[in-house]
Amino acid sequence: MSRIDWYIRANLKLRHLELLVALDDLRNVGKVASYLNVSQPAISKTLATIEEGVEVPLFDRTPRGLEPTEHGICLIRHARRVLEQMVAARDELLDITEGRVTRVSLGVLPAAAVLLVPKFIAMLEEKSNEVSASVTESHTDILLRMLRAGDIDLMVGNLPQRALGAEFESELLYRDPIVVVARHDHPLTKASPLQWEMLNDYPMVLPTQAAHTHHAIADALLQRNVRISRRSVESISTLTNVGVLQETDSTGFLSQAVARHFEKLGLLSILPLDLGNVDIEIGLIWMTDRGLSKAQQLVRTLFRETRDAMRTKAGH
């Protein structure tokens, strides 16, 4: 074990992290001493002890005051995160102790943001007055980083095709086939019979190339003698895709559940063209080593119930 690893594990305390954050905020030993109600020599001695422990300088002493070094910026950033998590832990413990509402933080991918998550929240409000949800929508890489950092408790949406590694656990909720869509008054909605080659006459809205569905859709189109238009738009934002489809002659590709939702609203039509075995897997991801609180277990259960209710309503 390296010295820095030993020091961080065995000797770095919360009060040290509070000191580093205060020094970064105030940039003056005298102001920090007054703020923390300790002497200036004590501040200087503690900072020197921390720098000795991590074996690198954390602040440069300049005529303008203290300036964090690159190492200092790194450690301060993590110190802020640790302190924020401790405040969140304190608040959650108080909520549990005093019977207040427990909040579960969800990281949501676009595939789940329009239909699954709103239906889940409606069910959560119906079945529990002790748990509430906060929602952050983003893409996979950012949400996985947030999950590692503890900024979210669960990730909801299309499961990545690549292996996630032992640090993550996942649960598949359902598979959702990809369908071809266009605005409700698109010329192709009146074509009879509709042929695949007719798509060649129109622009397309596709997932970005980073999404595994992009390549699956492209392969399916190639097999059906359909070329991807040079005028295609690439986006993983469901609302952007629906907006583009509304305003242009483009055809697009959405999950069936989401497409049916917008079809019922009269905004889109699902074209009678079968892409074959092109689908997305919708599920949950969480950290293996953290376990799940009772609130998080309830959330998982209600996601399953939401899935079952959606299947029943769809007649599956």
Side-chain angles (χ1 to χ4, degrees):
M1 181 183 298
S2 68
R3 175 178 170 80
I4 188 171
D5 187 47
W6 167 81
Y7 179 79
I8 288 176
R9 288 174 180 269
N11 289 277
L12 194 62
K13 310 298 182 185
L14 284 178
R15 61 183 178 84
H16 295 150
L17 302 184
E18 292 171 343
L19 172 62
L20 293 176
V21 170
L23 286 169
D24 185 46
D25 288 340
L26 300 176
R27 304 293 177 95
N28 181 281
V29 171
K31 291 180 180 179
V32 171
S34 177
Y35 173 71
L36 296 178
N37 196 29
V38 295
S39 68
Q40 292 189 37
I43 296 292
S44 299
K45 181 179 179 180
T46 301
L47 176 57
T49 300
I50 299 171
E51 291 180 321
E52 181 182 354
V54 297
E55 299 182 310
V56 290
L58 300 176
F59 288 89
D60 289 327
R61 285 71 173 172
T62 74
R64 298 185 307 275
L66 297 176
E67 293 288 342
T69 64
E70 187 175 351
H71 293 95
I73 291 170
C74 173
L75 188 55
I76 291 164
R77 183 177 70 252
H78 289 285
R80 290 185 188 278
R81 185 172 294 168
V82 170
L83 294 174
E84 287 168 0
Q85 289 298 314
M86 292 306 298
V87 170
R90 178 204 64 195
D91 292 344
E92 187 170 341
L93 286 170
L94 287 173
D95 287 344
I96 294 170
T97 301
E98 298 176 10
R100 295 199 294 262
V101 172
T102 300
R103 185 174 297 277
V104 175
S105 298
L106 304 177
V108 177
L109 291 160
V114 172
L115 196 63
L116 175 63
V117 170
K119 289 184 178 296
F120 155 77
I121 290 176
M123 184 168 288
L124 178 64
E125 290 181 354
E126 176 187 345
K127 297 202 170 186
S128 175
N129 56 9
E130 298 179 351
V131 178
S132 66
S134 65
V135 175
T136 300
E137 183 178 350
S138 191
H139 59 75
T140 301
D141 290 340
I142 287 179
L143 292 182
L144 288 176
R145 287 200 295 270
M146 293 180 69
L147 199 55
R148 286 191 187 97
D151 296 328
I152 57 175
D153 301 309
L154 290 166
M155 180 171 156
V156 188
N158 41 316
L159 301 177
Q161 294 298 295
R162 67 182 187 276
L164 288 174
E167 62 184 320
F168 298 106
E169 286 191 52
S170 64
E171 176 182 354
L172 174 65
L173 293 173
Y174 59 90
R175 289 181 173 84
D176 202 1
I178 301 296
V179 295
V180 188
V181 296
R183 70 170 190 270
H184 70 93
D185 57 349
H186 193 283
L188 291 181
T189 62
K190 304 174 181 66
S192 182
L194 178 62
Q195 303 293 330
W196 277 101
E197 289 82 359
M198 294 178 181
L199 295 184
N200 286 320
D201 297 329
Y202 299 95
M204 291 182 180
V205 180
L206 293 159
T208 61
Q209 295 193 33
H212 81 276
T213 49
H214 177 99
H215 304 289
I217 291 168
D219 289 343
L221 293 176
L222 183 62
Q223 293 170 17
R224 292 158 177 79
N225 298 315
V226 178
R227 65 183 180 276
I228 294 179
S229 170
R230 291 183 179 180
R231 295 178 291 163
S232 64
V233 173
E234 295 185 2
S235 164
I236 60 170
S237 168
T238 301
L239 293 181
T240 296
N241 294 347
V242 172
V244 172
L245 292 169
Q246 282 281 286
E247 297 295 331
T248 69
D249 283 337
S250 299
T251 58
F253 304 87
L254 295 176
S255 70
Q256 186 178 71
V258 172
R260 284 176 172 170
H261 171 73
F262 286 106
E263 188 173 51
K264 288 178 181 177
L265 294 175
L267 300 178
L268 297 178
S269 291
I270 298 175
L271 301 180
L273 297 169
D274 186 2
L275 277 169
N277 297 320
V278 181
D279 59 23
I280 58 175
E281 295 182 337
I282 301 294
L284 308 174
I285 302 174
W286 63 94
M287 297 299 295
T288 302
D289 61 352
R290 290 179 195 157
L292 293 172
S293 67
K294 288 184 178 180
Q296 292 164 8
Q297 291 173 24
L298 173 64
V299 165
R300 283 183 60 192
T301 298
L302 293 183
F303 265 114
R304 295 187 202 109
E305 293 184 16
T306 303
R307 179 263 325 270
D308 294 343
M310 289 169 59
R311 283 178 173 172
T312 299
K313 188 172 182 180
H316 292 171

